[in-house]
Every structure is written in structure tokens, then in C-alpha cells.
Amino acid sequence: MVSAAVFGITHASWILMSGEVRIAVPVVVSTTVLGGLLAVVYVVAGHNVLPAIVAHTLVNIVIEPWLVLAAVSGMFPGTGRTR
């Protein structure tokens, strides 16, 4: 639980520093859930970190381009800058 919370807070630090407080809570919650799931992968894999790293990489490949595009275009949900 602690590692999941730390994962969520550290991965949301970029949004917290931007001042977009309205979307900070969903970002922290979603990344905390992801951190918990990756911790489960780590434990199920016999405390081998490689499967968790691979899972994190796959999540980044699928989700990260859309997050960057949304941030750059100003279309990030909750910012009030949607078109």
C-alpha cells in the first residue's frame, strides 16, 4: 500500500507542480491504483522486478503518447482549455 501511494504521488508530481489541482486527485488515484497493480505483479512474479518493469513499459507505450498530446494541445480534461 505504501509503495502504491508513493508511486501515485511521485507520478503525479508533474501535475501538482503545474497548479492544475482539479485533475490532481484523479491522477494520484489512477497512478496509485497502477502502482498497486504493479506491486501485485512484482509479488506474483516471485519478487522479480522485470515483469513489473515490462508491464510499466507497456502501459507507457499505450497511454503516454495520448497524455503528452493532451498536455501539449491544451486538451487535458479538467483544465478548462478543451476546444
Side-chain angles (χ1 to χ4, degrees):
M1 296 295 279
V2 172
S3 68
V6 170
F7 185 89
I9 292 167
T10 57
H11 278 76
S13 61
W14 61 273
I15 198 75
L16 294 171
M17 288 187 290
S18 74
E20 297 291 348
V21 178
R22 290 181 358 152
I23 61 172
V25 172
V27 169
V28 170
V29 170
S30 62
T31 53
T32 298
V33 169
L34 176 60
L37 294 172
L38 291 173
V40 170
V41 169
Y42 171 74
V43 171
V44 169
H47 298 271
N48 182 357
V49 74
L50 184 59
I53 291 171
V54 170
H56 190 298
T57 301
L58 292 173
V59 167
N60 286 351
I61 288 170
V62 172
I63 295 175
E64 198 70 28
W66 302 110
L67 291 175
V68 171
L69 180 62
V72 170
S73 69
M75 298 287 291
F76 216 64
T79 62
R81 294 184 298 226
T82 58
R83 293 181 186 174

